[in-house]
Amino acid sequence: MLDVRADRRVRVQNFRVDERDAQCGTCHIVPTDTYDMDAEHPAYVNPLQPVHQVLNLAEFNQRAVEHPRVLEAVRHLREYQREKGTYADVPLHYTSEYGKLNPAEKLL
């Protein structure tokens, strides 16, 4: 589930992965549907087309932040670079999990 603050709006562009070569790290993604998301219209990531781009367009004339809500901790994501036709698996790190500070973290 993706959501934004009550007074904000972003545009979401979804993509379909047409080709992917894991050995070369190359891919070809194709834009599919586009929609605007705000507090009244939250969205979810379609598991059949999980590649998406969240855009804060200049015409919206505002700052915005995407707040992903996940039911379980995601350990990595796949980052696509459409212009280069490449992708990579990127490990994620959490400052806290389930309300508890990660032991490796140091608060300032």
Side-chain angles (χ1 to χ4, degrees):
M1 167 81 65
L2 306 173
D3 69 17
V4 293
R5 281 185 26 183
D7 59 343
R8 303 292 188 225
R9 173 174 63 140
V10 294
R11 180 149 304 145
V12 178
Q13 171 69 64
N14 288 323
F15 296 88
R16 178 183 73 246
V17 179
D18 263 0
E19 301 170 20
R20 183 172 51 216
D21 183 333
Q23 285 188 319
C24 295
T26 58
C27 64
H28 181 251
I29 58 176
V30 177
T32 57
D33 58 325
T34 302
Y35 55 89
D36 287 355
M37 181 177 61
D38 58 26
E40 297 296 316
H41 304 93
Y44 72 98
V45 174
N46 181 342
L48 299 176
Q49 293 185 7
V51 180
H52 65 279
Q53 178 180 39
V54 179
L55 304 162
N56 182 19
L57 302 177
E59 65 198 59
F60 294 162
N61 195 30
Q62 62 188 10
R63 294 176 59 168
V65 176
E66 172 194 5
H67 297 281
R69 294 183 184 184
V70 292
L71 297 177
E72 59 186 59
V74 176
R75 299 292 175 201
H76 74 279
L77 61 83
R78 189 162 283 152
E79 178 183 72
Y80 288 86
Q81 298 213 7
R82 184 176 171 200
E83 299 79 20
K84 294 180 179 181
T86 61
Y87 76 96
D89 288 330
V90 179
L92 297 180
H93 173 77
Y94 292 91
T95 302
S96 64
E97 291 186 44
Y98 308 106
K100 294 186 180 184
L101 185 65
N102 181 325
E105 289 294 322
K106 293 184 175 62
L107 297 179
L108 300 176

